[in-house]
Amino acid sequence: MRKILYLSLVSLLLLGCKEKKVADVSYVSPAPEFCEDSAYQYVAAQCAFGPRVMNSEAHDACGEYIAQTFKRLGAVVYDQYADAELYDGTPVKMRNIIASYNPEASERILVSGHWDSRQWADNDPDERNHVVPIDGANDGASSIAVMLEMARQLHLQNDSNRVKVGIDFICWDAEDSGESGASNENSWCLGSQYWSGIRHIDGYTARYGINLDMVGGHNTVFYREQFSMAYAPSIVDKVWAAANRIGYGKYFSYEDDGGAITDDHLQVNRGGIPCIDVIGSDTESGGFPATWHTVNDNVKNISKQTLKAVGQTMLEVIWTETTGD
Ligand code: AHN
Ligand code: ZN
């Protein structure tokens, strides 16, 4: 079994002073180590298919790659295929992919993110790019990559150190084809809207959910998002406390309030499961990441350090979750 020892700054100082009370201020995490190189490869692999725009070959091939990879990593995989219409009337075929670990456990945690990528770089400074689809390395692929690396760690776990609850990874389709600049909220998050009405398993529920969005950019910080604070404040506390306890307080910041963001977590809440959004903000502007909905949202602009901060925090959360007995 692999354990990581987190020494707080205090204990390091004490060590420096040759104090002996190190054990009091050290924290031994039960979680395995999240491999950011592996997560980065999962981002690159998704982007290599090309933009994951609905009704495209690249989209369908990448969906197959995601489902097969989860299967290879020991998950039970469910699919939800559905028809939907974009706000401009375009009919699209979508596929939500659900990968479950410990499927018989009644106590479950849901972890989600979207796998589609936006077909218009309509926030790009160069107007000619507004009709160009994005790679969505950060906006889409990063959250799936963190989930795949979490899945790999779940697959590697042995009897001496098992996660006690069931875990369901949900890869939403059709999150990112909404109408920008309009207050047309229902044009976003079509995959999760579908799921909140019709679950992959009748009567499915979970203790809580954590949605990941844009978790791999440079200059990224995570603030406590406002809808999350309204719907699931104790889950926000749990996740931010976990990050801060293992040394990622710089990423999971209490400094500012996050915005109130329309994202897939709203649909999970609407379906009766308290769910938060871990969504990246730019450290400079405080708004969406600088590459957001631009052609620069590609694998060159992915930060392994950010993937690590989020991935290790997520492993910490699920490995410290206990059941009633
Ligand atoms: C709105 O712009 C209304 N929501 C942003 C949700 C989103 C788009 N997340 C990633 N891309
Ligand atoms: Zn987006």
Side-chain angles (χ1 to χ4, degrees), residues 114 118 134 138-140 175-185 187-189 211 213-214 260-264 277 279 288 292-293:
H114 74 91
R118 186 166 180 80
I134 66 171
N138 191 25
D139 193 356
E175 186 270 352
D176 218 357
S177 290
E179 187 172 10
S180 61
S183 51
N184 186 0
E185 295 207 338
S187 64
W188 304 88
C189 306
N211 188 66
D213 197 1
M214 304 194 277
I261 298 163
T262 301
D263 210 345
D264 291 311
D277 203 19
I279 182 166
F288 284 146
W292 181 70
H293 295 183

Side-chain angles (χ1 to χ4, degrees), residues 15 21-22 25 43 52 67 71 100 104 116 119 123 126 148-149 191 203 234 254 281 293 301 305 310:
L15 266 177
K21 277 186 148 185
V22 170
V25 286
V43 174
R52 301 168 301 287
K71 274 184 204 161
S100 296
E104 62 290 336
D116 64 306
Q119 57 206 286
N123 194 48
D126 184 343
L148 285 169
E149 175 57 11
S234 69
Y254 296 99
S281 296
H293 295 183
N301 289 317
Q305 288 76 15
V310 175

